[in-house]
Amino acid sequence: MSVTLHTTLGDLKLELFCSEVPKSCENFLALCASGYYNNTIFHRNIKGFIIQGGDPTNTGKGGESIWKRKYADEFVETLKHSARGIVSMANSGPDTNGSQFFISYGKHSHLNNVYTIFARVIAGFDVLDLMEKVPVDASDRPLADIVLKSVTIHANPIAELDYA
């Protein structure tokens, strides 16, 4: 299962871990399919750490899941923040996942079992490099907007489930 994030700096292709973290992938895919993330900005960018987006208010304080409420973390022993390009749900504490997500710029083991990992970058590492180099203000907000223009879903197994 993969998606491509089309940004103003180029494309990032993500492999999603639908079998391992089904709830987070269902949420992310449904938000992508509805256009929820279209024309949102990456509002937080910390060199050597992460870039964060997924907030339709573009403030870093908004966004909600497809269930209109926060949902529980999904921690899997085999999924670790062990490389550049790990994609996780952002949260404000245990079991507070919504719509915001972040992409790591490196290994960060202290994030394991704190943030649900649901994907990894499989193509577009040159774009991730460009993102990391964008200058930021004192609040880590990029000085020039990095926009998530749209998302292409390459295959959506969630849409094929029979809920009847």
Side-chain angles (χ1 to χ4, degrees):
M1 174 69 227
S2 64
V3 301
T4 298
L5 307 181
H6 304 286
T7 79
T8 48
L9 294 179
D11 293 348
L12 293 171
K13 188 170 187 179
L14 310 180
E15 173 190 19
L16 276 69
F17 304 127
C18 295
S19 296
E20 295 88 344
V21 288
K23 200 114 176 133
S24 293
C25 287
E26 179 182 4
N27 181 59
F28 184 74
L29 286 166
L31 292 173
C32 289
S34 71
Y36 189 87
Y37 292 126
N38 291 357
N39 299 307
T40 59
I41 64 167
F42 287 91
H43 61 271
R44 186 174 179 219
N45 191 18
I46 304 172
K47 185 176 182 173
F49 186 46
I50 58 115
I51 186 162
Q52 184 171 332
D55 172 13
T57 70
N58 292 326
T59 64
K61 298 178 186 194
E64 60 184 8
S65 74
I66 59 170
W67 303 285
K68 308 295 183 200
R69 59 177 165 68
K70 303 294 184 188
Y71 70 92
D73 297 317
E74 295 176 286
F75 300 133
V76 177
E77 185 61 32
T78 56
L79 299 178
K80 301 290 184 192
H81 293 90
S82 59
R84 184 174 181 81
I86 299 297
V87 187
S88 304
M89 293 304 299
N91 65 43
S92 57
D95 302 322
T96 59
N97 300 291
S99 66
Q100 292 190 41
F101 63 92
F102 64 87
I103 306 169
S104 70
Y105 287 136
K107 297 179 184 180
H108 296 289
S109 61
H110 64 283
L111 302 178
N112 294 338
N113 298 315
V114 179
Y115 299 95
T116 297
I117 296 169
F118 68 92
R120 69 182 178 107
V121 174
I122 57 173
F125 283 96
D126 56 329
V127 175
L128 198 58
D129 292 345
L130 292 173
M131 290 174 150
E132 189 172 17
K133 293 175 184 171
V134 172
V136 297
D137 66 16
S139 299
D140 301 313
R141 189 176 183 92
L143 296 177
D145 285 349
I146 304 169
V147 179
L148 175 49
K149 299 184 297 186
S150 64
V151 181
T152 298
I153 300 173
H154 300 290
N156 185 350
I158 302 299
E160 297 168 10
L161 292 178
D162 182 8
Y163 287 105

